[in-house]
Amino acid sequence: MHLKLYPALCLCLGLATAATAQDSSRISQLNGVTVTATKGPQKASETGKVVTILSRAYLEKNSGKTIAVILNEQAGLIINGAENTRGTIPGIYMRGASTENALVLIDGLPVNDASQISSSFDLNAITPDQVEKIEILRGSQSTLYGSNAVAGVINIITRQAGSKPFGLTANMGYGSYNDYQGGLSIHGRARRFSYLLGYKYEKTDGFSDAYDSTGKAGFDKDGFRQHSLFAKLGLQATSRWNLQYLFSMSDYHHALDDHNYTDDKDYNGQYKYLLNGISSKYTFNKGSWHVLYNYQRNKRNVRNDSTDVAPMTYAKYDETLFASQTHQLETYVNWDVTKEVRLIAGGVFTTSRIEQQNLTLSPRPGSQFVTNGISPDSSHASQISGYATMLLHPGNGFNLELGGRFNYHNLYGNNQTISINPSYLINQQHKVFINIASAYKIPSLYQLYVAGYGNRNLLPESTISYEAGYQASFRQPRLDLRITGFARDTRDLIIFYYDGATGYSQYRNADKQRAYGAELEATWNITSGLDLTMNYTFVDGRITQQLANNKDTSYYNLYRVPKHALHATLGYQVTPALYTSVTARYIGQRYETRTPMGDYYTLDWYGEYKFGNLLKIFTGLRNITNYQYFDVLGFNTRRFNFNTGIIFNL
């Protein structure tokens, strides 16, 4: 580890000695305001939740990166596939939990792909151009947010319309792998009405998805093409009543390789995502009443044609459609009962259905096409929840959050959660906090209904999590610091059971899992304009499994997740117009099943120059040392690459 970090440390130190200059654009300080921790504006000093806010200024200083790459640099998060070929579905691993245990929101609306095994949201479906800020809320949050908010919540908050009657933003960029990008948006406000409309296009030749271990096999490039549309309309109906409509659509095509280390020249996919959301906020004297509705449609089509049949393939021709529809309606109040007491209470109804159609042709001579699938008429589920949380601020720096949730699922019945979150603000610079919360993850529709493996008797995974930490904001030196320890116990873990003797397979509740670790986050304003931001995450975990002889066995289970992860960025505002930064990243040993994938480091450089508010040019160099590593065993990640672009604002 020390040898691999040496170049990164040397580069960071070299920049530090050459510079003396910026306020942090990443907010985890005690004076920050979060809207995700309590479903309404809340000072970070008054909540014990572990929240990191990536502001618009922070996102702008990371121009050219995808949402997945930006999240991959944050404490407690590993976004597996963020550096793979475009079109790879990024896996969100938070605090060592599997991908389905982090809930993604867009403007407070939960988003997912119910047709997939994990039901996880595809981060490719949203671009940074659409985003105002991102709030990362770590720890179990099922009391306020329901299923899948086991390890945390990521709230992607979209851009605002601004105050001008008309504004325009245009951008274009080019990068490695012949990657072209371009986008255009218009926005404005006219009396009670606001609007924001945007479009983005990206096309890249890409690189081979699978890794050529011989270096001589001539694997083909796997390209990517995407169209994205975004709209946000607002109406201030009265002085107290605000309405908002959100529309997001993504359509991308991408080439794939079906197996690791193996090329496939005719394996292609298309993914279409549609989100419609309506929100209503009515403000009364001491609070607000909210109504949220969203509709999501996912449609993913994957085709492995017969012109090129890769080794180890089970079909000469294979075409599969994965589709899902989800409706969710939520209403809640955020009410300051007194100066010392706030109540958040509400209810949610969710219904989802999936469809799967599969057409295959075996490579054996004389084979006929075989069709199977899942019908949307019989493959659906619904749930209804009620929740309430009380925030107590009795004074003298003490704060307490108490909450509970009741959830009813039409298949398995009911389950409940609780949360207890005391914190103490010692003074305006120091805070300590404790969190004890239960959480749950419902079985995905795929796990319930997939032909041959589905199990309608599955129970939800149930979790108890514990957190304790210390947060400080020092004036001399100007340093923001947070240290958090966490542990999470899960029972009724859903596994894929396989009987080697009979070949029988099924999704089952069986195992127990324990994960624990610690996070360190720090931002040091070294001098006026020179910032060092770093985070370190340690996580460990084991699964306990009951054997056929009724004895238990346990083993290390962090799939593709490192025990140690370190990120550090040294940013220098050279002049009001010129900004530059260097980022070093170290990722420790990871395992895919029992196979070690090694550790690695990367070095990145970024620079931008602004011509007032009218124009910005930027360039990013990533993986400068051209380090070869795997995030998914046998599939390529980006070697040394660059991108550059221009952003125009009117």
Side-chain angles (χ1 to χ4, degrees):
M1 171 178 174
H2 299 294
L3 290 176
K4 292 184 177 182
L5 282 177
Y6 182 72
L9 294 173
C10 288
L11 193 53
C12 288
L13 290 172
L15 182 58
T17 55
T20 50
Q22 136 194 340
D23 289 338
S24 172
S25 54
R26 161 192 173 131
I27 304 171
S28 58
Q29 301 98 324
L30 290 172
N31 61 354
V33 176
T34 171
V35 298
T36 309
T38 58
K39 286 184 176 279
Q42 184 78 33
K43 290 178 63 177
S45 60
E46 296 178 349
T47 177
K49 299 291 181 65
V50 180
V51 60
T52 297
I53 304 172
L54 308 181
S55 67
R56 182 62 197 169
Y58 177 86
L59 298 176
E60 288 178 347
K61 288 181 169 61
N62 285 273
S63 295
K65 295 181 179 179
T66 63
I67 295 293
V69 170
I70 291 170
L71 292 176
N72 203 29
E73 298 174 354
Q74 310 309 317
L77 276 172
I78 294 293
I79 311 299
N80 197 268
E83 298 290 354
N84 287 68
T85 52
R86 295 287 284 127
T88 300
I89 302 175
I92 305 172
Y93 294 85
M94 185 178 285
R95 289 184 168 179
S98 54
T99 56
E100 59 268 34
N101 288 286
L103 179 66
V104 178
L105 313 173
I106 296 180
D107 287 345
L109 304 171
V111 290
N112 56 45
D113 182 355
S115 71
Q116 299 298 293
I117 297 174
S118 67
S119 297
S120 298
F121 178 67
D122 186 346
L123 290 171
N124 293 312
I126 188 165
T127 67
D129 303 1
Q130 305 169 3
V131 180
E132 183 70 25
K133 66 177 180 176
I134 301 173
E135 297 194 2
I136 304 167
L137 185 59
R138 296 191 292 281
S140 295
Q141 311 296 333
S142 284
T143 293
L144 282 181
Y145 290 103
S147 178
N148 298 69
V150 174
V153 173
I154 300 170
N155 191 8
I156 300 171
I157 299 169
T158 59
R159 297 290 300 272
Q160 302 300 314
S163 57
K164 299 188 300 183
F166 178 81
L168 181 146
T169 299
N171 64 75
M172 60 189 308
Y174 178 77
S176 296
Y177 315 112
N178 210 26
D179 190 331
Y180 293 91
Q181 299 187 37
L184 178 69
S185 67
I186 59 172
H187 53 88
R189 188 177 300 273
R191 297 185 179 179
R192 296 177 179 269
F193 178 72
S194 63
Y195 65 92
L196 191 157
L197 307 171
Y199 168 76
K200 182 165 185 183
Y201 175 75
E202 179 181 359
K203 182 181 184 298
T204 177
D205 293 343
F207 51 93
S208 176
D209 190 22
Y211 173 66
D212 178 5
S213 57
T214 68
K216 302 176 182 179
F219 287 9
D220 70 328
K221 296 177 181 179
D222 293 307
F224 175 86
R225 183 176 77 254
Q226 181 179 34
H227 299 271
S228 300
L229 288 171
F230 176 79
K232 189 174 182 178
L233 307 177
L235 175 65
Q236 191 69 43
T238 70
S239 59
R240 294 177 177 266
W241 187 21
N242 179 266
L243 295 168
Q244 181 174 284
Y245 170 70
L246 177 68
F247 170 87
S248 182
M249 188 278 290
S250 173
D251 182 353
Y252 70 74
H253 295 73
H254 61 116
L256 300 164
D257 288 323
D258 196 16
H259 297 283
N260 57 355
Y261 303 108
T262 306
D263 193 26
D264 197 330
K265 301 185 186 304
D266 57 7
Y267 192 44
N268 299 285
Q270 181 182 12
Y271 174 59
K272 294 182 178 181
Y273 176 73
L274 174 68
L275 170 66
N276 284 281
I278 299 172
S279 61
S280 167
K281 178 182 178 181
Y282 183 81
T283 304
F284 50 90
N285 289 339
K286 293 185 178 182
S288 55
W289 172 39
H290 303 254
V291 179
L292 308 173
Y293 167 76
N294 78 82
Y295 166 74
Q296 296 175 80
R297 187 179 69 207
N298 294 272
K299 186 177 181 181
R300 191 181 302 274
N301 188 280
V302 180
R303 176 187 295 173
N304 194 350
D305 212 335
S306 57
T307 56
D308 178 71
V309 181
M312 300 182 299
T313 189
Y314 71 93
K316 182 178 180 180
Y317 180 92
D318 179 18
E319 183 171 6
T320 305
L321 167 70
F322 302 92
S324 68
Q325 297 183 61
T326 300
H327 298 265
Q328 177 163 310
L329 177 65
E330 178 177 11
T331 183
Y332 67 92
V333 294
N334 206 316
W335 177 30
D336 290 321
V337 183
T338 68
K339 290 182 179 180
E340 296 81 19
V341 179
R342 178 190 289 186
L343 174 68
I344 302 109
V348 188
F349 173 75
T350 306
T351 180
S352 300
R353 65 180 61 243
I354 63 170
E355 177 183 4
Q356 182 177 324
Q357 299 175 9
N358 186 237
L359 176 66
T360 60
L361 177 65
S362 171
R364 293 191 298 271
S367 296
Q368 301 294 316
F369 279 99
V370 176
T371 60
N372 56 53
I374 304 173
S375 168
D377 296 329
S378 58
S379 305
H380 52 82
S382 62
Q383 54 181 326
I384 187 167
S385 300
Y387 61 87
T389 291
M390 191 78 72
L391 306 177
L392 306 176
H393 308 288
N396 300 320
F398 179 74
N399 299 286
L400 177 64
E401 179 178 330
L402 298 170
R405 186 184 191 99
F406 176 86
N407 183 69
Y408 176 79
H409 190 280
N410 71 307
L411 291 182
Y412 68 73
N414 61 71
N415 59 287
Q416 304 82 33
T417 69
I418 60 165
S419 61
I420 305 170
N421 177 207
S423 64
Y424 182 64
L425 189 66
I426 300 170
N427 52 43
Q428 292 304 310
Q429 293 178 272
H430 304 274
K431 182 181 76 172
V432 292
F433 56 88
I434 296 173
N435 289 310
I436 302 173
S438 58
Y440 66 98
K441 184 193 77 68
I442 65 172
S444 70
L445 292 177
Y446 187 95
Q447 292 166 337
L448 291 168
Y449 292 110
V450 64
Y453 312 131
N455 182 358
R456 301 188 190 189
N457 295 316
L458 286 173
L459 299 174
E461 295 181 358
S462 300
T463 296
I464 299 278
S465 67
Y466 311 88
E467 284 180 333
Y470 164 73
Q471 186 170 354
S473 184
F474 300 98
R475 294 173 183 168
Q476 292 296 332
R478 287 175 289 182
L479 174 68
D480 288 288
L481 176 72
R482 178 165 59 204
I483 302 171
T484 308
F486 62 88
R488 186 179 61 252
D489 293 311
T490 302
R491 61 182 175 83
D492 293 326
L493 198 68
I494 298 174
I495 66 165
F496 185 73
Y497 170 80
Y498 174 73
D499 188 327
T502 65
Y504 177 73
S505 302
Q506 187 184 46
Y507 286 101
R508 291 183 177 181
N509 294 103
D511 299 346
K512 299 177 182 178
Q513 182 185 48
R514 179 171 179 79
Y516 57 91
E519 297 160 348
L520 169 64
E521 302 165 87
T523 300
W524 178 23
N525 184 214
I526 302 169
T527 67
S528 178
L530 181 65
D531 279 340
L532 175 63
T533 301
M534 64 83 63
N535 64 73
Y536 166 75
T537 303
F538 166 77
V539 63
D540 201 350
R542 302 191 74 80
I543 275 186
T544 300
Q545 192 175 53
Q546 190 176 70
L547 302 178
N549 58 8
N550 291 324
K551 292 184 178 180
D552 288 345
T553 183
S554 64
Y555 57 91
Y556 176 79
N557 78 297
L558 295 187
Y559 182 70
R560 297 176 179 171
V561 175
K563 280 189 177 182
H564 305 277
L566 175 66
H567 304 81
T569 298
L570 188 65
Y572 179 32
Q573 193 74 48
V574 184
T575 70
L578 177 62
Y579 171 79
T580 185
S581 67
V582 173
T583 297
R585 181 169 180 254
Y586 172 78
I587 299 297
Q589 174 73 278
R590 295 138 304 125
Y591 291 85
E592 186 157 321
T593 58
R594 303 296 175 90
T595 305
M597 292 195 289
D599 59 348
Y600 68 88
Y601 77 91
T602 59
L603 285 175
D604 301 339
W605 173 85
Y606 174 82
E608 66 176 36
Y609 189 87
K610 293 182 177 180
F611 299 87
N613 294 322
L614 182 66
L615 192 67
K616 182 179 89 169
I617 56 175
F618 67 87
T619 298
L621 306 179
R622 294 163 61 188
N623 196 3
I624 294 171
T625 61
N626 200 34
Y627 202 94
Q628 180 181 299
Y629 62 92
F630 295 119
D631 280 336
V632 183
L633 190 65
F635 290 92
N636 282 312
T637 53
R638 293 171 181 262
R639 304 289 288 272
F640 170 71
N641 64 99
F642 81 94
N643 62 4
T644 186
I646 184 169
I647 301 173
F648 173 77
N649 293 294
L650 181 64

